[in-house]
Amino acid sequence: MAAREPAPSGKGLVAQLILALICAGYGVGAALGWGSPELALIMGDFGLSAGALVAAVSCFLYARTSPPRLRPAWLLFALSSLMASAGNAIWGWYEVVLHREVPSPSIADLFFLCFAPPAIVGLLVLAKRPVSRAGWVCLGLDAWLIGGSLLTLSWSLALAHTTRVQGESVAPAALALAYPLLDIVLVSMVLALHFRRSATNRSAVNTAIAALALTVLCDTLFTSPLLRESYRSGQLLDAGWFAGSLLLAYAPWGARRSAETVRPPRPPRPSRPVAGSLAALTPYLAAAVCTLGILYNVVEGRTVDRVVVLTGCTVVLALVVRQGIMLVDNIALTHELAQKENHFRSLVQGSSDVIMIAAPTGVLRYVSPAASGVYGREADELIGSELATLIHPEDLGRVIREVRRFLAASPAEEPTTRIECRFRSGSGDWLNVESTVNRHQGGLIFNSRDVTERVRLQAQLQHSAEHDPLTDLPNRALFTDRVRRALSGRRAADRGAAVLFIDLDGFKGVNDRLGHQAGDDLLIQAAGRLADSVRAGDTAARLGGDEFAALILGDGMADETARETQVAEIADRLRLTLSQPYRIDGHDVRVAASIGVAFAEEGITPTDLMRNADLAMYRAKAAGKDRVELYAPQMQAEVVRRTELAARLRSALHDGEFALLHQPVVNLATGRIEAVAAQARWRSAQGMLFTPAEFLRSSDDGDRTAELGRWLLEEAVEQAAERDRLGHRVPVSVRLSARRLLDRSLPCGTVEALLTRHGLPPGALIIELADSDPRISFDDLEQRLVALRRLGVRIALDGFGSGHAAINALRRLPVDLLKLDRGLIEGIVESSRLHKITSGLLRISGDLGLQSVADGVDLPEQVLALRSMGCTHGQGMAFAGPLDEYRLRRALVRDDFPLPGGAVLPLLAGGSLTTRTGSNSETRVPPA
């Protein structure tokens, strides 16, 4: 049954009120005779004509905007009302204009008779169309059963008398019968449509049916012999016709306003049996009415009219035919139902899902045969058992709560529910079962399927999403969730919980030397050691690469210092455990562990706690690795400072905050300046002066470092060319890393273009090659250096004596100069071991015919020691620090520095500044 009609809106109430006032006003006027006979005739004739015309126009306008299926019905209603309007207008022409009595029959009667047929057809269009021929036949039979019964009753009560009153004249008799017969047909269609009307725009249809029913009622009263003989226009009967016309005019538009304010429809409720019962009883009620008509004639002692007998017989015949059609339909439906039942039974029997029907008490009344394949238990074995005994005890409470909630909910709002639980199989194992639950005669129907494999797969996917695939330790996401739960659980106020971040020092070298497979084996072994070292309630995780983490839960220890000491001891044991040798491919491999520890504090978030541990771990690596560091607040302050410094560094080049200084390179035999080393300094907007080590360490931006290298090279070449034009022909050295030399941002053409653009002669530029990265290809680096030497650029090997690849670089690369590492020079006077190492390196330089320069010569004693070992040149505070351009030119004019030990000494072996024979042998090229 359709949902209840919505309550009318405010505008709808106003329209209904106006309609009621107009009809009431007309009724009062008709009851009082309108005050004069002339006005009564006008209102009774032309008033009714106007009301019918309004209905015709209203239905016509609505038909133009209505759906195509309903458009013919409303056009027919408009035509029917137009006929009524024309009939009343002609009736008024006779009575009001011509002041004559309306003849019988007249043209007005023709229009009045044309009122009913369009309305009847329109009602048929609105009726719900049958889907079969038998349905159409039943619709016609139902209409005739109603119409024939009404005809029998009407003929018995009034029509027979009407025909006798009319006498022998055929036309008046036919006219007298036409009105009631058409009204009977119209009433039959109204009653038939009441049980068969479509759900589309039901409000408008109901209002139109009410309007036509009111009109038919007035017609019925009009055809009554007593009323017809005394009827005059303008009487109270006209108020019924007038109200019917206005109600028909209001029907489509009032319904449209209601539809505009309708709320979202509720789920359809189960149909009430009353309406269905009335529809089924309609034929029998009609036959009962027909019987009453005949009995009335018999009781009154009248002779049964032939019309009544004929009509009664046709009604009985229609009832028999209808019952026969219904019987045939019932037989067909029974057969179809049996076929569907067999079909569904075969579906149930062959379904892989288990279908169970449980009584309200929870006892299984039916179990499909699929139970033997799904549960490993026969259906007969399960029937009669209680469902609760088959469900896992841990799931039983949840299942009972869900079933109770489902039964308490409205069936329309929640027709089904889904329950997942563990079910006991025949072998005693527990299966994961998913059931769709429906209501059934007070009990429940369970459509169950085995989802054990799906649950296992979901568990595997969940495990894979939360664990590292290599080590099977919790990954970062699960570790973060564990930290969050530790901070938000019942121990949230316990500051003893701690997070450890662990990094394996030297792991990258294992990957580079032994390959990634060896690195994976090492990570697996390290993960096993870490998992074995933490307590049962703690969590060990791999965050990625060679980074691990551990969550150490607090144990409620009141003494904070004791707790920190305990966690620090745990971290140190982990460090020692992870630093033990690893056996990989028959080799012992060693790595160290740097560990940062951060303790939970009140109000701290998981992100902040893990960040603190990460900062402490990086502090441990910066402090020498293979150690444990506890987080301190100043670590965060240092990170903030470095971040701010890096942010300012990004714009320093464009803002012109960098300055180029030069430190003289002095001949240790003569004291003369034979080269200058270019060094960048950054004077920030805040007035702070940073060295390259400080500001480059603060920036992880590789592009920014490359941009600084290009600026340093261009500025050094430009200033060297300017000094050359002023007569200070001193080579300039620029320090570049091997990675930068191979970077495409500094191609060979760039150096050549710089030398050509600024007119710097060959041999006036020296590139200090930093210790080469082991990942750099020596073949590519050799080709690059050979190309640079063709341009007249000299190559110095910087940091000689500190890197493990220095000897290999010296063996393979085209090098002109060796620059001793500052670390050797600092302890050359105090340490005899460093003295011997430095002396040996200088002998190698001399044997290879290379010039040598010592970096970081800050003390006179160092000058004497280096000169005695055969070092040719020195650079450091013993002579001068980095100078700006003005002070550098003053130093170049002076051109020498006093040497410790008195007068200038003769040239040392290998100290000649004349270059080896080659394309640029005429130019002095001191070391840088």
Side-chain angles (χ1 to χ4, degrees):
M1 193 170 183
R4 183 178 299 175
E5 296 291 339
S9 63
K11 293 183 179 180
L13 288 174
V14 172
Q16 293 176 9
L17 183 60
I18 294 174
L19 178 65
L21 290 176
I22 294 175
C23 293
Y26 190 96
V28 171
L32 298 177
W34 295 104
S36 67
E38 292 79 7
L39 182 59
L41 290 176
I42 292 174
M43 295 302 296
D45 294 335
F46 291 112
L48 290 182
S49 178
L53 184 60
V54 170
V57 173
S58 175
C59 292
F60 176 76
L61 293 178
Y62 179 69
R64 296 179 61 184
T65 61
S66 61
R69 182 187 176 280
L70 302 178
R71 189 172 300 163
W74 291 100
L75 288 175
L76 289 169
F77 290 156
L79 178 61
S80 176
S81 298
L82 186 62
M83 294 297 101
S85 176
N88 283 297
I90 293 173
W91 195 288
W93 176 263
Y94 279 105
E95 288 188 337
V96 178
V97 179
L98 300 180
H99 300 287
R100 291 172 46 191
E101 232 181 81
V102 181
S104 180
S106 67
I107 299 178
D109 292 321
L110 177 62
F111 282 105
F112 285 143
L113 290 176
C114 290
F115 165 78
I120 293 171
V121 178
L123 290 174
L124 284 174
V125 172
L126 288 179
K128 186 185 296 183
R129 298 182 181 181
V131 296
S132 63
R133 293 180 180 179
W136 284 105
V137 174
C138 287
L139 177 62
L141 291 175
D142 289 344
W144 171 243
L145 285 171
I146 298 172
S149 301
L150 293 177
L151 178 60
T152 301
L153 186 61
S154 301
W155 191 276
S156 300
L157 297 177
L159 293 183
H161 175 70
T162 299
T163 56
R164 289 193 292 272
V165 171
Q166 297 298 330
E168 298 295 331
S169 177
V170 177
L175 185 62
L177 289 175
Y179 280 111
L181 290 177
L182 287 174
D183 287 339
I184 288 172
V185 175
L186 189 57
V187 169
S188 302
M189 295 311 304
V190 168
L191 292 176
L193 181 61
H194 176 72
F195 299 110
R196 291 180 174 269
R197 61 187 183 276
S198 172
T200 306
N201 202 5
R202 176 162 292 187
S203 179
V205 175
N206 287 340
T207 308
I209 290 175
L212 293 175
L214 181 59
T215 303
V216 168
L217 177 62
C218 294
D219 287 347
T220 303
L221 295 175
F222 175 74
T223 56
S224 171
L226 297 177
L227 274 176
R228 187 174 178 87
E229 292 175 358
S230 61
Y231 171 77
R232 295 292 182 272
S233 296
Q235 293 181 348
L236 190 60
L237 186 61
D238 292 346
W241 280 315
F242 183 79
S245 297
L246 291 189
L247 193 60
L248 183 60
Y250 169 79
W253 309 107
R256 171 170 291 188
R257 282 193 295 270
S258 298
E260 290 173 355
T261 59
V262 66
R263 295 178 181 179
R266 296 179 180 178
R269 298 179 180 179
S271 60
R272 292 175 295 178
V274 176
S277 301
L278 289 176
L281 291 175
T282 299
Y284 305 100
L285 293 175
V289 170
C290 182
T291 304
L292 288 176
I294 298 175
L295 289 177
Y296 176 80
N297 283 278
V298 174
V299 171
E300 292 293 324
R302 299 177 183 175
T303 303
V304 179
D305 195 280
R306 286 177 295 177
V307 174
V308 174
V309 174
L310 181 61
T311 305
C313 291
T314 56
V315 168
V316 173
L317 179 61
L319 182 61
V320 172
V321 173
R322 191 181 187 283
Q323 288 300 109
I325 294 175
M326 294 297 295
L327 180 61
V328 172
D329 282 347
N330 287 338
I331 294 174
L333 288 175
T334 302
H335 181 67
E336 183 180 356
L337 182 61
Q339 287 183 335
K340 289 184 177 180
E341 185 177 353
N342 292 332
H343 174 67
F344 284 115
R345 181 179 290 109
S346 63
L347 289 178
V348 171
Q349 299 290 338
S351 174
S352 59
D353 292 353
V354 180
I355 299 175
M356 301 183 297
I357 300 178
T361 59
V363 177
L364 294 177
R365 297 187 304 188
Y366 172 80
V367 179
S368 65
S372 60
V374 176
Y375 298 149
R377 306 177 68 171
E378 295 297 330
D380 296 338
E381 178 186 349
L382 293 174
I383 295 176
S385 60
E386 291 189 6
L387 186 60
T389 61
L390 305 174
I391 299 175
H392 196 284
E394 295 179 0
D395 300 339
L396 182 59
R398 176 173 52 83
V399 172
I400 292 176
R401 287 193 299 270
E402 175 61 21
V403 169
R404 288 176 178 173
R405 185 203 61 78
F406 172 66
L407 293 177
S410 171
E413 295 177 356
E414 190 174 3
T416 64
T417 188
R418 182 169 295 180
I419 296 176
E420 187 170 332
C421 63
R422 284 168 288 181
F423 200 89
R424 188 188 299 276
S425 66
S427 60
D429 298 330
W430 294 101
L431 303 176
N432 292 93
V433 175
E434 181 186 68
S435 302
T436 302
V437 185
N438 295 270
R439 299 173 180 85
H440 175 70
Q441 297 179 0
L444 296 171
I445 297 179
F446 293 83
N447 189 359
S448 306
R449 62 204 63 87
D450 182 11
V451 294
T452 303
E453 290 301 322
R454 189 193 72 187
V455 171
R456 290 176 181 171
L457 178 59
Q458 288 177 343
Q460 292 176 0
L461 293 176
Q462 182 72 17
H463 183 85
S464 299
E466 296 179 341
H467 289 76
D468 176 59
L470 179 64
T471 63
D472 203 39
L473 290 180
N475 59 13
R476 182 181 292 272
L478 181 57
F479 183 76
T480 304
D481 183 67
R482 296 271 179 90
V483 173
R484 181 180 296 107
R485 283 189 288 175
L487 296 180
S488 60
R490 62 183 180 86
R491 293 182 173 180
D494 180 13
R495 301 178 61 180
V499 170
L500 280 61
F501 265 42
I502 307 163
D503 186 84
L504 299 182
D505 304 321
F507 172 76
K508 187 175 179 302
V510 175
N511 262 346
D512 294 338
R513 293 193 311 272
L514 304 179
H516 289 282
Q517 182 59 48
D520 290 346
D521 293 342
L522 190 149
L523 290 176
I524 294 173
Q525 295 183 35
R529 295 182 185 183
L530 180 60
D532 294 338
S533 300
V534 298
R535 301 174 303 180
D538 299 334
T539 300
R542 182 191 177 204
L543 305 182
D546 60 341
E547 290 189 1
F548 294 86
L551 171 63
I552 309 298
L553 297 178
D555 54 6
M557 186 178 295
D559 190 348
E560 182 177 345
T561 304
R563 176 58 178 163
E564 291 183 357
T565 303
Q566 181 186 27
V567 174
E569 291 176 354
I570 294 174
D572 198 58
R573 286 199 302 268
L574 285 177
R575 180 187 64 81
L576 294 175
T577 301
L578 295 175
S579 300
Q580 296 298 317
Y582 296 85
R583 192 68 177 175
I584 298 175
D585 294 335
H587 302 282
D588 285 340
V589 178
R590 289 182 178 271
V591 293
S594 296
I595 302 179
V597 181
F599 290 92
E601 299 177 355
E602 187 175 355
I604 194 170
T605 64
T607 303
D608 290 341
L609 180 59
M610 295 173 64
R611 181 206 60 200
N612 293 346
D614 195 27
L615 291 175
M617 184 265 290
Y618 276 105
R619 173 58 64 90
K621 293 179 70 68
K625 304 180 180 180
D626 192 19
R627 57 187 295 143
V628 176
E629 285 283 346
L630 302 183
Y631 171 77
Q634 57 266 26
M635 295 182 184
Q636 179 63 24
E638 176 66 18
V639 171
V640 173
R641 190 190 73 82
R642 291 177 59 186
T643 303
E644 294 176 350
L645 189 63
R648 296 200 304 268
L649 178 62
R650 294 186 181 98
S651 59
L653 273 174
H654 302 285
D655 296 341
E657 296 181 4
F658 276 95
L660 186 64
L661 304 181
H662 295 83
Q663 188 170 26
V665 178
V666 178
N667 190 311
L668 296 184
T670 64
R672 296 187 59 190
I673 302 174
E674 298 195 355
V676 291
Q679 298 178 3
R681 292 293 186 271
W682 173 33
R683 188 178 299 277
S684 67
Q686 288 75 21
M688 299 178 64
L689 188 66
F690 297 100
T691 65
E694 289 175 321
F695 59 72
L696 291 181
R697 188 167 52 246
S698 301
S699 175
D700 294 329
D701 190 349
D703 294 337
R704 195 65 54 196
T705 306
E707 185 178 358
L708 178 61
R710 289 192 296 270
W711 174 87
L712 178 63
L713 179 62
E714 292 178 3
E715 283 291 314
V717 171
E718 181 179 359
Q719 293 187 21
E722 179 66 22
R723 289 192 298 271
D724 186 74
R725 285 191 290 272
L726 295 176
H728 303 297
R729 294 178 174 82
V730 180
V732 62
S733 64
V734 180
R735 189 176 188 273
L736 293 175
S737 67
R739 180 177 295 276
R740 292 299 171 198
L741 281 175
L742 294 178
D743 192 350
R744 292 186 178 273
S745 62
L746 188 65
C748 296
T750 300
V751 178
E752 184 177 18
L754 283 174
L755 297 177
T756 303
R757 183 168 68 247
H758 296 291
L760 194 65
L765 175 63
I766 304 170
I767 289 181
E768 299 179 8
L769 179 65
D771 192 9
S772 59
D773 191 325
R775 293 171 295 181
I776 297 297
S777 171
F778 269 101
D779 294 335
D780 296 339
L781 184 58
E782 183 180 8
Q783 294 177 8
R784 181 76 170 97
L785 295 179
V786 169
L788 288 174
R789 293 189 74 194
R790 291 196 186 103
L791 300 176
V793 178
R794 307 309 300 270
I795 308 299
L797 184 60
D798 188 27
F800 186 68
S802 62
H804 64 274
I807 301 301
N808 193 26
L810 187 62
R811 180 176 62 87
R812 298 189 56 182
L813 300 179
V815 177
D816 301 295
L817 312 168
L818 290 181
K819 192 170 185 179
L820 296 179
D821 184 72
R822 176 183 291 269
L824 296 174
I825 307 304
E826 290 177 350
I828 195 173
V829 178
E830 295 83 1
S831 173
S832 60
R833 186 180 185 86
L834 287 179
H835 190 283
K836 293 178 181 179
I837 293 174
T838 306
S839 178
L841 294 176
L842 290 173
R843 282 197 299 272
I844 294 175
S845 173
D847 292 342
L848 294 176
L850 302 178
Q851 299 173 9
S852 59
V853 62
D855 189 14
V857 182
D858 299 332
L859 302 174
E861 295 83 358
Q862 295 171 345
V863 176
L864 295 174
L866 290 169
R867 189 168 56 185
S868 65
M869 286 186 285
C871 183
T872 60
H873 297 81
Q875 171 187 341
M877 298 301 296
F879 308 106
L883 305 176
D884 57 22
E885 189 65 22
Y886 172 74
R887 293 178 180 175
L888 175 63
R889 291 181 182 179
R890 290 185 58 187
L892 291 176
V893 169
R894 189 172 67 246
D895 196 28
D896 62 357
F897 287 95
L899 297 174
V904 174
L905 301 177
L907 290 177
L908 303 175
S912 174
L913 296 181
T914 57
T915 60
R916 292 172 293 177
T917 58
S919 61
N920 55 353
S921 58
E922 299 301 323
T923 305
R924 290 191 310 157
V925 184

